[in-house]
Amino acid sequence: MPGTPERIERLRSEGLAALAAARNESELLDAKGRYFGKKGAISEILKGIGALSAEERKAVGAEANRARAELESVFDERLAAIREQERISREGVERLDVTLPGRREAPGHRHPISQTMADIISVFRRLGFSVQGGPDVEKDYYNFEALNFPPEHPARDMQDTFYIESEAGDLVLRTHTSPIQIRTMEKTRPPVRIIAPGAVYRSDSDITHSPMFHQVEGLAVDTGITMGDLKGLLTEFCRMTFGPGKPLRFRPSYFPFTEPSAEVDIQCVICLGRGCRVCKDSGWLEILGAGMVDPSVFGFVGYDPEEYSGFAFGMGVERIAMLRHGISDIRLFFENDIRFLSQF
Ligand code: PHE
């Protein structure tokens, strides 16, 4: 009979059905003999292949070989299952080798970002800060306006915002944890000394930026707080986090809600300052933004800027985790590859 692809397909499915229906070894062997054993229908097709044209030979040969391989592997599985079944009914027990070593449960652990976050929080707790939270889906008012980013202000472009479609039309995924500054000051009077950890979102993605990442915000407001307090605190934070002697620099910067503003860089741990693709050849990595709370922000929450002053900072948790562990690609944190995660 000629070997057509249709016929091979029919033999394949008949063969599979016969293997599935076999109740013992001899029925299994019988099915093999009929369909894909030495004299089985598929093997006969392969033997007759020489009579076909070159083109047909190729197609039919490939189909027939594939079908036979599949049937053989199903046959092996069924044979093993049937033999095991027969052994169980003969011996009346499942085989149990009590000398095999046990299968140990691999205990999990916290994700490296959660670990770093917990460590940052613990440093600031020891320095007298308490922890505050706020919503991830935030009002434009808290994310921008009360932080002195007026509507249409070009400083909003610094943050690649995800906008949320809503009836009210003023919701965003928070681009930073700074809205928690406003929420905290709205409901408490000075002295304020808080940190606010959480996820933040920006439409930005490359080896040092992820569309979702984490920050820890800090805010201190009281009478007589100065930039010196801010520098001292952040220097101490870096010492406690990275150990003594890690070079650190304060660089003038701009944020609408702080004046003056600074960014803090730490020496690149990948290249130790020589310059590499992670630090974009600068030798430094930015870990946080900071500054003295702008008096106009106090205006939004009803604090008297003549009486109180304060500082704020916001740090990137992934950045700090990358620096601590010498990781060069932020995306590794979010791929959930167990070979990566189990190293921490
Ligand atoms: N929110 C700023 C950012 O995400 C960082 C910052 C926080 C700067 C607090 C100053 C004070 O870029």
Side-chain angles (χ1 to χ4, degrees):
M1 215 187 273
T4 63
E6 294 74 30
R7 177 150 183 267
I8 293 166
E9 174 52 30
R10 202 176 60 248
L11 290 170
R12 187 189 76 97
S13 62
E14 284 176 18
L16 286 172
L19 291 174
R23 275 160 304 146
N24 53 43
E25 215 171 310
S26 84
E27 288 181 17
L28 208 55
L29 287 166
D30 186 53
K32 176 171 179 168
R34 266 181 291 138
Y35 294 99
F36 58 101
K38 270 211 179 76
K39 297 214 163 103
I42 293 178
S43 310
E44 291 303 323
I45 287 176
L46 281 165
K47 279 180 208 154
I49 212 167
L52 300 174
S53 72
E55 209 173 296
E56 284 174 320
R57 200 183 307 148
K58 208 165 149 202
V60 168
E63 277 299 312
N65 277 320
R66 201 175 313 129
R68 190 164 62 176
E70 183 182 352
L71 288 162
E72 259 160 15
S73 99
V74 172
F75 173 85
D76 290 344
E77 277 168 33
R78 291 282 297 137
L79 184 61
I82 283 174
R83 286 190 174 157
E84 176 63 5
Q85 229 16 76
E86 285 170 352
R87 194 197 55 72
I88 290 172
S89 55
R90 200 169 52 244
E91 296 173 12
V93 279
E94 290 188 47
R95 188 177 297 154
L96 180 63
D97 181 351
V98 294
T99 67
L100 279 175
R103 290 197 195 101
R104 204 177 288 274
E105 286 279 320
H109 61 68
R110 275 188 302 186
H111 189 279
I113 294 302
S114 307
Q115 287 177 33
T116 301
M117 191 104 115
D119 291 346
I120 295 170
I121 292 170
S122 121
V123 166
F124 284 109
R125 270 191 191 283
R126 275 183 280 164
L127 295 168
F129 287 72
S130 64
V131 178
Q132 286 288 320
D136 290 29
V137 177
E138 185 54 282
K139 291 196 165 125
D140 182 280
Y141 176 78
Y142 289 110
N143 196 79
F144 289 126
E145 212 166 318
L147 288 162
N148 207 27
F149 292 82
E152 312 301 332
H153 191 282
R156 289 190 179 209
D157 295 346
M158 285 161 59
Q159 316 214 344
D160 305 280
T161 313
F162 286 116
Y163 290 90
I164 301 276
E165 273 182 32
S166 70
E167 303 241 308
D170 64 348
L171 295 179
V172 298
L173 286 183
R174 67 180 176 202
T175 58
H176 51 180
T177 41
S178 300
I180 302 170
Q181 290 186 35
I182 307 296
R183 288 181 172 275
T184 304
M185 288 190 282
E186 266 185 354
K187 58 178 195 236
T188 46
R189 309 298 308 166
V192 173
R193 222 173 236 91
I194 59 115
I195 53 168
V200 301
Y201 307 85
R202 295 187 196 178
S203 177
D204 198 357
S205 185
D206 61 35
I207 73 163
T208 55
H209 296 89
S210 150
M212 187 280 306
F213 60 104
H214 299 82
Q215 290 187 334
V216 175
E217 191 80 10
L219 174 70
V221 183
D222 205 342
T223 50
I225 288 199
T226 69
M227 187 96 181
D229 297 317
L230 171 65
K231 279 192 83 168
L233 178 75
L234 293 178
T235 305
E236 182 57 15
F237 164 76
C238 287
R239 201 187 61 78
M240 287 168 83
T241 305
F242 299 106
K246 189 82 198 134
L248 189 72
R249 71 176 184 188
F250 288 74
R251 189 161 41 78
S253 184
Y254 171 77
F255 299 101
F257 43 96
T258 48
E259 180 60 35
S261 303
E263 275 167 325
V264 174
D265 300 335
I266 189 158
Q267 188 190 64
C268 179
V269 285
I270 308 288
C271 63
L272 297 179
R274 280 187 299 272
C276 66
R277 77 176 185 140
V278 175
C279 60
K280 303 212 165 85
D281 284 324
S282 70
W284 295 92
L285 284 173
E286 182 195 327
I287 55 168
L288 61 87
M292 300 306 290
V293 179
D294 192 296
S296 61
V297 171
F298 286 147
F300 281 95
V301 297
Y303 282 11
D304 179 359
E306 297 300 323
E307 191 178 353
Y308 297 113
S309 58
F311 62 71
F313 57 86
M315 60 181 72
V317 179
E318 281 75 6
R319 283 292 170 89
I320 290 171
M322 289 167 83
L323 287 164
R324 290 172 81 194
H325 300 297
I327 294 164
S328 58
D329 189 337
I330 193 171
R331 293 168 296 201
L332 288 167
F333 289 125
F334 304 115
E335 286 169 356
N336 285 336
D337 185 331
I338 202 76
R339 292 167 301 181
F340 171 76
L341 294 175
S342 57
Q343 296 174 60
F344 301 95

